[in-house]
Each structure stands twice: as structure tokens, then as C-alpha cells.
Amino acid sequence: MPATVHNDTLIYKGSNFFRQRLLLSTLSGRSVRIEEIRSSHDDPGLREYEVSLIRLLDKVTNGTRVELSETGTSVFYQPGILIGGQVTHNCSTQRGIGYYLEVLLALGPFCKEPLNVVLQGVTHHDLDVSVDKVKAAALPILLKFILVDDGLELKVVRRGAPPLGGGEVVFRCPVRRGVRPLQWTSWGLVKRIRGVVYALRVSPTMANRVVEAAKGVMLKFLPDVYINTDQCRGPNAGKSPGFGISLVAETNEKTFYCAEAKSLVAGSGETTLPEDLGRECAQKLLDEIYRGGCVDSSLQWLVALWMALGQKDVSVCVVGPLSDYTITFLQHLKEFFGVMFKLEVLRAGDDDEDSGDEMSTAQRVKMTCVGIGYVNISKRTL
């Protein structure tokens, strides 16, 4: 639902895209009021993971003001100044660490001090990207905008499966005065497949069975396939049993496609066969490769954000079919920053010559915008 504006405060209704709105509010400095949050539900108001997100944003900012209604169905958020620095946050186990990590990745370059964040909780969750995916596919995208890694790091200290979690990651991100414009229209050919299979509080043979099943599919596509196993033990295995797989396809143009699959939550009454899991993940990766584009479909919105915040120059990126999440994010970018994207659907034959995808029929979208020249004001004083 589009925003209404009152005294320069953007007003939204409903709980959808809560994270998008708080993130863009923090970056733009514009206040938001979100009303009627699950007001028609039996259990109305904010969920635990949403309150946890507000707390995390409060830790990385200075001067943020939050007002909650008694029922929790309305929240007013007035962002403070991004300061970053050293933060430890215990994430809600209702969502994965990736839910919070993506927000920090978007905010990190614009903080006053380099981020050094310890996040604790569920490292692999059905609703969110895993920490492996952020590390393999999202960090390389940020590098294209800031050029020098200069301490950009994501370290998985412990893994944690739902429902109890117990995982821990350390995320470090350097600060920048601004991000550069990007012209990214070629994604190349897949040259290798890499992956990791983790087994937490289950038999180590589970991981080996997942590896064999996944390789059985991928080797029909490409000979260069290597899948590592992470046999976690003791405290490093988290608090709940589970196993899963993350696969990454890398192209010769440094594009990374990622797919994931994990076992069902312990105690749900159903069992997951390792062979089914391996094949499921391999098929998901092939589908992601078929979609094409220069970025993984789940990370399109991050690219759009950094394109919009870039220097006052034209940025171009060709992506696969736009996800619903990305479409809404583009609408929010217009409301918070006034940035509009030109979207062109590329027909067969319009793809870049180097894409290596002449036989594919998946729809490609060329995203073009002029950056607003967003400047990290705090960076000047360092």
C-alpha cells in the first residue's frame, strides 16, 4: 500500500515489508509511522523478531526515537545518526541471522565507524537467506560498489539450526564516503560449482549422503564441482539438530548464483531424506542459473539500493525476472529518496553478447537509474 505523508513522516499500514521501511528510513533520515500492524489477527501487533530488529537499529544509531502503541499495532520510528562500531546482538529465533545481516550489509558502508557486529541466533532459516549465502553471493556485490574490501568480512563462528539456534557470526564492514556507480550487463558462463554441507547434532553420514546426491545432479551440468562438509561438534553444533546444503555457481564474470536447502525443523513430526535434500538444492541452483542476470534473484534489491545511493551518474544492471520483494523495494526507493528506475524487458537476442545465454528464454530486466550522490556525512569527521 503506498505511503501517505504527514509533516514529512511517511505513514504506512500493515506489517508487510516492515524491514524495508525501517532500513530506508534509517538511511534517508525520514521518520515513518506504521499503523494497523496485524490489527485483525488474533495476536495483533509486532512480532518478537520485529522488535529485535528495532533494537538492533537502535544499537547501530545514535538518537533514534521509537514510540509503540500499547497494543503494539502502531509504531513511530524516527531514525538517529548511523554510528556503527562494535555491537553484540541476540537475534530472535523466529527468523534467521540473515534477516538482520542483510540490513547491516546495507547500512555498513554509511556508518561513522566500521561495523564490528556479533550476531547470535539461527544461522539457517526457511524464511531468510543463510549466512553462507550472504558470504558467498552478497559480499562480492558490495565489493563492486566500494572496490576495496579493507576489512569486509563475514565469519561463521558457530552454526545454529531452528528452533533453538545457538549459532554465531561476526560481521565486519568498512565505511565509505559514498558508493561508485555501476555498469553491469554481462554475467558470463558458469565455470565452477562450490558448496558446503553442514550437519548439526546428527550422524556425519547425513552430510556425505547430501553431497553425493547433489553432485549426482551437478556433474551432469559441469565437471568442476566441489562440495565441502562441515561436521560441527560440541558447542559449534548449536542447540538443535539439523542439516543442510548451500551451493554456489561462479561465472567467469564474477557473478554468483546461490541455492540452499535444509532439513525440516526437529520435532515437526516429519523426516527429511538427505538424498532428496541434495537433489532439491541442485535443482534450485540450476533454476537460478536459468534465470540469469548479473545477481542472484534474492539480492536484486541490494543492488538497486546501492545503485540509487551511488554518485550522480548512470548505473545499469541486468537482472533476471524481478522478484516481488524487489518490485516493492523499488516503489519504496521512490517514496523515500525520489529515485525512479527505468526498467526494460530484454527480449531474446537483446542479451549481452558475453552472457553466454543465447538458448535461455527466461525474462531479463535492464535496470537503469541515476544515483542521488548519497554522502556519508560522518565519514568527513574521521
Side-chain angles (χ1 to χ4, degrees), residues 151-186:
L152 181 64
E153 180 190 13
L154 177 59
K155 182 180 179 183
V156 182
V157 180
R158 290 194 297 270
R159 296 181 183 273
L164 300 178
E168 180 176 304
V169 301
V170 178
F171 175 60
R172 297 184 178 92
C173 183
V175 294
R176 285 290 177 270
R177 178 86 191 278
V179 292
R180 62 185 286 268
L182 185 72
Q183 280 74 43
W184 199 6
T185 57
S186 175

Side-chain angles (χ1 to χ4, degrees), residues 8-248:
D8 202 38
T9 297
L10 292 169
I11 301 173
Y12 292 95
K13 292 185 178 180
S15 61
N16 286 346
F17 308 106
F18 182 81
R19 183 177 66 156
Q20 282 190 17
R21 292 162 180 170
L22 292 195
L23 167 64
L24 291 175
S25 169
T26 305
L27 283 169
S28 66
R30 297 190 68 179
S31 303
V32 290
R33 183 181 297 280
I34 303 173
E35 302 172 338
E36 298 180 23
I37 300 172
R38 302 183 182 90
S39 53
S40 59
H41 289 216
D42 294 336
D43 182 19
L46 291 172
R47 297 290 179 257
E48 179 192 325
Y49 65 89
E50 292 165 332
V51 175
S52 180
L53 176 63
I54 293 173
R55 289 195 182 115
L56 177 61
L57 289 171
D58 186 48
K59 287 178 181 178
V60 297
T61 57
N62 186 18
T64 293
R65 187 161 68 95
V66 180
E67 296 175 6
L68 291 175
S69 65
E70 287 186 18
T71 56
T73 56
S74 174
V75 58
F76 172 76
Y77 179 82
Q78 185 179 50
I81 299 169
L82 270 171
I83 54 171
Q86 194 153 343
V87 172
T88 298
H89 187 68
N90 201 349
C91 305
S92 166
T93 54
Q94 292 179 349
R95 298 297 291 256
I97 287 178
Y99 177 81
Y100 306 90
L101 198 52
E102 287 182 308
V103 171
L104 293 175
L105 189 65
L107 296 176
F110 310 107
C111 292
K112 181 177 181 179
E113 299 174 14
L115 274 179
N116 186 357
V117 183
V118 177
L119 296 175
Q120 298 164 334
V122 176
T123 53
H124 303 79
H125 198 285
D126 289 330
L127 296 175
D128 303 293
V129 299
S130 76
V131 294
D132 293 315
K133 186 167 190 172
V134 173
K135 185 174 183 176
L139 295 193
I141 296 173
L142 178 55
L143 281 177
K144 285 186 176 288
F145 285 92
I146 65 174
L147 289 180
V148 184
D149 67 7
D150 195 21
L152 181 64
E153 180 190 13
L154 177 59
K155 182 180 179 183
V156 182
V157 180
R158 290 194 297 270
R159 296 181 183 273
L164 300 178
E168 180 176 304
V169 301
V170 178
F171 175 60
R172 297 184 178 92
C173 183
V175 294
R176 285 290 177 270
R177 178 86 191 278
V179 292
R180 62 185 286 268
L182 185 72
Q183 280 74 43
W184 199 6
T185 57
S186 175
W187 53 96
L189 294 167
V190 174
K191 64 177 181 179
R192 60 173 165 239
I193 308 286
R194 295 292 180 264
V196 61
V197 176
Y198 61 90
L200 313 177
R201 302 191 178 278
V202 296
S203 168
T205 58
M206 292 291 198
N208 298 330
R209 289 165 64 185
V210 174
V211 170
E212 291 305 312
K215 287 180 75 172
V217 176
M218 299 315 306
L219 286 172
K220 296 175 184 176
F221 172 67
L222 201 71
D224 189 357
V225 179
Y226 182 78
I227 303 173
N228 187 32
T229 56
D230 189 358
Q231 307 280 8
C232 304
R233 291 182 174 84
N236 292 339
K239 298 177 181 177
S240 296
F243 58 96
I245 177 173
S246 176
L247 292 176
V248 182

Side-chain angles (χ1 to χ4, degrees), residues 363-381:
Q363 186 186 73
R364 311 276 190 261
V365 179
K366 184 179 181 181
M367 301 168 57
T368 309
C369 80
V370 177
I372 62 170
Y374 188 88
V375 175
N376 182 354
I377 300 173
S378 303
K379 181 75 168 64
R380 292 185 199 164
T381 61

